[in-house]
Amino acid sequence: MNDASQTDPLVLFMPSGKRGRFPVGTTVLDAARELGVYVESVCGGRATCGRCQIEVQQGSFAKHKIVSSNDHISPVGAKEKRYAEVRTIPDGRRLSCSAQILGDLVIDVPQDTVVNAQVIRKSASTRLFTRDPAVQLCYVEVDEPDMHKPLGDLDRLNLMLEKDWGWENILVAQHLLPQVQGILRKGNWGVTAAIHRDLEGSRPNLIALWPGLHNEAYGIACDIGSTTIAMHLVSLLSGRVIASSGAPNPQIRFGEDLMSRVSYVMMNPDGREAMTKAVRQAINELTAKVCAEAGIDANDILDATFVANPIMHHLFLGIDPTELGQAPFALAVSGEVHTWSREIDLAINHGARVYLLPCIAGHVGADAAGATLSEGPHRQDKMMLMVDVGTNAEIVLGNQNRVVAASSPTGPAFEGAEISCGQRAAPGAIERVRIDPATLEPRFKVIGVDQWSDEPGFAEGADKVGITGICGSAIIEVVAEMYLSGIISTDGVVDGAMAERSPRVFANGRTFSYLLHDGAQKIIVTQNDVRAIQLAKAALYAGIKLLMEKLGIDHVDTIRFAGAFGSFIDPKYAMVLGLIPDCDLSEVKAVGNAAGDGALMCLLNRASRREIEDTVKRIEKIETALEPHFQQLFIDAMALPNKVDAFPQLSNVVTLPERKVLAEADGDGGGRRRRRNRE
Amino acid sequence: MNDASQTDPLVLFMPSGKRGRFPVGTTVLDAARELGVYVESVCGGRATCGRCQIEVQQGSFAKHKIVSSNDHISPVGAKEKRYAEVRTIPDGRRLSCSAQILGDLVIDVPQDTVVNAQVIRKSASTRLFTRDPAVQLCYVEVDEPDMHKPLGDLDRLNLMLEKDWGWENILVAQHLLPQVQGILRKGNWGVTAAIHRDLEGSRPNLIALWPGLHNEAYGIACDIGSTTIAMHLVSLLSGRVIASSGAPNPQIRFGEDLMSRVSYVMMNPDGREAMTKAVRQAINELTAKVCAEAGIDANDILDATFVANPIMHHLFLGIDPTELGQAPFALAVSGEVHTWSREIDLAINHGARVYLLPCIAGHVGADAAGATLSEGPHRQDKMMLMVDVGTNAEIVLGNQNRVVAASSPTGPAFEGAEISCGQRAAPGAIERVRIDPATLEPRFKVIGVDQWSDEPGFAEGADKVGITGICGSAIIEVVAEMYLSGIISTDGVVDGAMAERSPRVFANGRTFSYLLHDGAQKIIVTQNDVRAIQLAKAALYAGIKLLMEKLGIDHVDTIRFAGAFGSFIDPKYAMVLGLIPDCDLSEVKAVGNAAGDGALMCLLNRASRREIEDTVKRIEKIETALEPHFQQLFIDAMALPNKVDAFPQLSNVVTLPERKVLAEADGDGGGRRRRRNRE
């Protein structure tokens, strides 16, 4: 570029918009590299890997003042033809390492190789997500040994990696030293090296080596939840997610919720070690599963990113989480963690790198950081509220000027624990509920049965799966419906007077209960159940309110429900019950496993790592336990809903005939199913 | 310094000569750091570690234009007094972290804490060897956890390491993550961190952590020889060698010499693994031994440097050495190797770092590089020849302008192998020999017996140990003495005519032999023995001559014999036999384990690592097998000595009565013993 003159052809790369002038004969790949446009290439311009495909736009582009035409690019040459014979190049595509610039050009870097729809969410500030993983494959042809220049085989390899790819001062993983000679000879001196460099300016690491051209490199992005471990398997070369799966966290056998696992560690000398082993083994099994699904070798996994809540994060790294179980809730490490697969017994490539996103605070983990990165409150003007509900609700609130975060002790009620008929979301669990305000008769949907309970064919389906309990999302709905139909009052008391209107409301000791289903197993909602939900929602709402007060705002522009809970509940019911503040309903979105999406972004783009590291440092952490006002907010939030006039968006929901509006919200369930699939 | 004015006190540090002006009240330690004068400090200026001692010179120093006097330095303060009460400060010493500059000063940085006599050899260009190890201990006091600022314990530690010690972007060894909380609490938030940074500009590594002030850090410098493993245990804080020891290389059971070990690997599928395991285990046992000797914990060893010949180097790293057994003798890796103790199963601190010096060529290993670093041909004007004799002779020749290196196939004769009565240097082995040229009667010395064989008391001593063979050094002497007494001719034939003068010369098949000792075991020097030595010395001399021709020189200024062989033989006999070219005898020195000294330098000074890395790249490698002229040089060198007139320095030795001169050379053996101790 230094010697480019104003008469040289002008080349514009889309969609980045980067442009520059290059001498006639420059390859498109070289031009892209000089401009910092990310175009993958493994073979280093030998037209054998096919990773560097681009498209040439034809015609006049007045806006860019560039005119592209067919004779502005070199014709398909011998190497490209040979590649096209062996593999397929889609119509209109060229290999940028072979195509030379002959005149002004507009070049499309195809979206399918640069961005991944799953990673990108449209947000106020839509960003182009450029792929720039920490691991890169580099094919080189190494000089054969020469007695006159007795440089080691590895040293000659490193020389070539510097010459062809610009990697200087390479650090070599110890385990490769014994392998390098065999690999070089097996590849007849042509080998593919995997280079890892996360931080710009740090020394590149040679982490893996294959004979010949190795055209596959994968990564895993993993969210270690207390209940479920979710994993994406991603091609680092295309950026595509090629398999996704989940598995239960086997630590459940040591304790259902987080605090009982911490207790287990405190009570059992080998507890920490057993739980670390269990979660690593589950991750290895899940890795094997996604690899089998995609038909790839786990040895081709070269990078892994993880998000987790603080206790899962610590147990995964082998750190005793005891300190997190008691004030001052000190994290052993809050910043990002870089390590190696072999240091934590992951069954992927022995040289693979591992990156854990930073934790925000003792109760706001790397999972919340991942969700923050994915949803990007810090990237937009709009005031965004992001909620991830589990045993604790992790709450992040803010915009590009300021972001605050807290954890609120909702307890496990939202997950169906502490609820008399509560159970996990599994076949047989009631997942949706409607109550007729006139008759107080319910109708509901059961996981594993296609029909609603009042539709033909339901009984046959229900006979097969059995009706066994209520899952988390339905708990919210049934309490909201009980409130909307007048069975419970604003202060959450099951109204005994209703027993006169329907036998479904009945005295149950000193309080009243509601009989949701009268079958082989009675499904009942008790006064205690309502109280548990009331307490949980009050804790969540108080936490949100506290953060809004910190920012001096009384209104949020947009709300994101992250996590499984958010995917299953209907945002409208969340608002009816007063879990979340008033907001335009179209701006309330369930975003599925946003934490995992954040891990995915960090896997595919090093800049995302820097972004979340910087953001986490900037986030103001609020500890609800230290805020005297929190208690008052909590008490205020016990009412159902908190204060109706605080929810103008809900006024139509509450005052109009409920069935109609809420049925619309439910639709055919497609929205929910789509969200679920996206996880 | 930026705001220092010309009226501020001037401070001169000796022996480095660095100087600068500092405001009144600056501590001497701060001044030293600002000037880049290396003064150790673990406690970071708390006057508790005692590592930063200096001396204030008193009086007028016209040369430096600085006048030091008692009132130019602050009086001993409370902290220093407290330290002196608990420990001892030598008279005249001050703690530089407490002593403040009040006026012009000359400061002595005591030599005992800066240099180690064992490391420094006087050479043409005498250098001050400044200690600057890759590992540094840093005591910090970490903020306690704060719920308002939920930074992790490790993150607060890192913050303090940046604030107090300037370490930025610290990388933390994975195994410390589970330990950091316990250590911080055990130390009541005061901890000592070990930071490793080898290359300037690379990220510092946190490799070890202790509660409270930890005032000990050690390193090992190790030379892995084919026969013997030698190790120094060094304090990284004082630079002192606190224990040294050696152990046989247990790989001997797989093959006596290098090539037979390579054969073993080629023949046995598990051979490489078995030999790697054996040498690592021997190193671990030797480490345990030096630790026990010095009374230290192996966990306090934080850095390790290694030299070895190429085959030992590869086997130690777990690399198959097969390629080194055949042309083109390709090293798997020739450059320096950085790794971690745990990657190669060393039983020292789990976070300890390991550094291997680079190899020069396929037959000129990291041991030759270590010797080069130690003796420094590349640092001086004089033309230096450095020879390390083993199965191959590694030869380095050059000065600061140009250095060449080669390996010459001497075979194992110099080590006593292939010699009919040859044996290792062990009790019972003949180690010195003199032959009376008049009577042809020998006298000799035996290892384990104090007297010479013609002295009273010898018989009793010899009865105890037995006389079992001839060791390497004596082989040289006996052949030289046989030549000097006329028993063998210039072309190396045992002269049968001599049998008439003495029964010690006798027909033995078709050739003649010399009976050195007639005891329970006859010790005989055969014609074949003489031939073996002749071939070995011809190979060595031809290699040297080849390098001299490459440099276009016919004379060397100074000669160094490195290694055990060099320590045991008398340089004069080496010259009589024509092993080495003519040189002023006072410039022929045995330097003991110079390779190990090079490892030691790299352990104590990072600049030494850069120096040898750069030097090895600069050294021109000559492969004798590829030099057509080598064969001719070899044939020319078969004569004894090569050509007498080529050795003017020897003319008096050869022409004067031999006994007298050579007895002088031998002296009381103290010189030799001193050299042996130094290994």
Side-chain angles (χ1 to χ4, degrees), chain B residues 496-663:
Chain B
M498 289 293 181
E500 293 166 21
R501 283 178 49 196
S502 164
R504 290 200 174 259
V505 179
F506 65 98
N508 190 357
R510 292 188 186 182
T511 58
F512 287 83
S513 293
Y514 178 73
L515 179 65
L516 182 55
H517 173 66
D518 189 9
Q521 210 171 328
K522 279 191 185 357
I523 311 292
I524 291 165
V525 182
T526 68
Q527 179 66 62
N528 275 346
D529 295 342
V530 176
R531 283 277 175 253
I533 291 296
Q534 235 182 325
L535 289 168
K537 83 103 190 173
L540 174 59
Y541 191 81
I544 294 169
K545 202 72 191 164
L546 185 70
L547 294 189
M548 290 173 73
E549 283 184 0
K550 286 283 165 189
L551 292 188
I553 58 172
D554 57 6
H555 172 260
V556 300
D557 298 319
T558 186
I559 297 179
R560 298 288 180 273
F561 266 112
F565 176 81
S567 300
F568 291 106
I569 65 162
D570 187 316
K572 283 181 193 168
Y573 281 103
M575 217 181 279
V576 166
L577 266 195
L579 270 66
I580 49 174
D582 187 50
C583 181
D584 183 340
L585 278 175
S586 68
E587 284 284 358
V588 182
K589 287 174 191 155
V591 291
N593 187 358
D597 289 347
L600 195 55
M601 290 172 72
C602 289
L603 185 62
L604 287 172
N605 190 307
R606 297 180 298 160
S608 293
R609 301 182 183 191
R610 303 300 90 76
E611 180 184 334
I612 192 57
E613 290 159 12
D614 295 343
T615 302
V616 164
K617 281 179 197 141
R618 243 170 21 95
I619 291 176
E620 296 163 51
K621 294 89 181 174
I622 312 297
E623 176 54 55
T624 52
L626 295 178
E627 297 289 332
H629 191 41
F630 180 74
Q631 203 56 30
Q632 187 56 50
L633 289 171
F634 180 76
I635 292 164
D636 287 351
M638 287 288 285
L640 294 177
N642 312 300
K643 282 169 189 165
V644 177
D645 56 1
F647 295 85
Q649 295 288 337
L650 274 182
S651 55
N652 60 337
V653 179
V654 176
T655 54
L656 286 181
E658 300 81 357
R659 284 275 296 273
K660 185 168 171 291
V661 172
L662 292 172

Side-chain angles (χ1 to χ4, degrees), chain A residues 147-148 150 152-155 174 178 181 185 199 203 317-318 323 328-335 342-343 361 621 626, chain B residues 147-148 150 152-155 174 178 181 185 199 203 317-318 323 328-335 339 342-343 361 626:
Chain A
M147 283 205 275
H148 289 289
D153 286 340
L154 179 65
D155 307 78
Q174 159 67 26
Q181 290 195 313
R185 281 158 185 79
L199 290 172
R203 294 179 72 179
L317 287 173
E323 291 291 336
F329 312 111
L331 287 153
V333 49
S334 56
R342 62 183 175 279
E343 294 272 359
K621 294 89 181 176
L626 293 179
Chain B
M147 283 205 276
H148 289 287
D153 286 339
L154 179 66
D155 307 78
Q174 159 69 25
Q181 291 196 310
R185 282 158 186 77
L199 290 172
R203 293 180 73 180
L317 287 173
E323 291 291 338
F329 312 110
L331 286 153
V333 50
S334 57
T339 187
R342 62 183 175 282
E343 296 271 1
L626 295 178

Side-chain angles (χ1 to χ4, degrees), chain A residues 169-219:
Chain A
N169 281 317
I170 296 170
L171 278 171
V172 180
Q174 159 67 26
H175 72 281
L176 293 178
L177 296 184
Q179 299 173 23
V180 67
Q181 290 195 313
I183 294 170
L184 280 165
R185 281 158 185 79
K186 195 172 169 197
N188 197 23
W189 305 100
V191 293
T192 306
I195 299 286
H196 174 273
R197 177 153 71 178
D198 184 350
L199 290 172
E200 277 304 332
S202 65
R203 294 179 72 179
N205 279 268
L206 173 59
I207 61 170
L209 195 65
W210 296 266
L213 177 68
H214 190 86
N215 213 344
E216 294 189 85
Y218 301 96

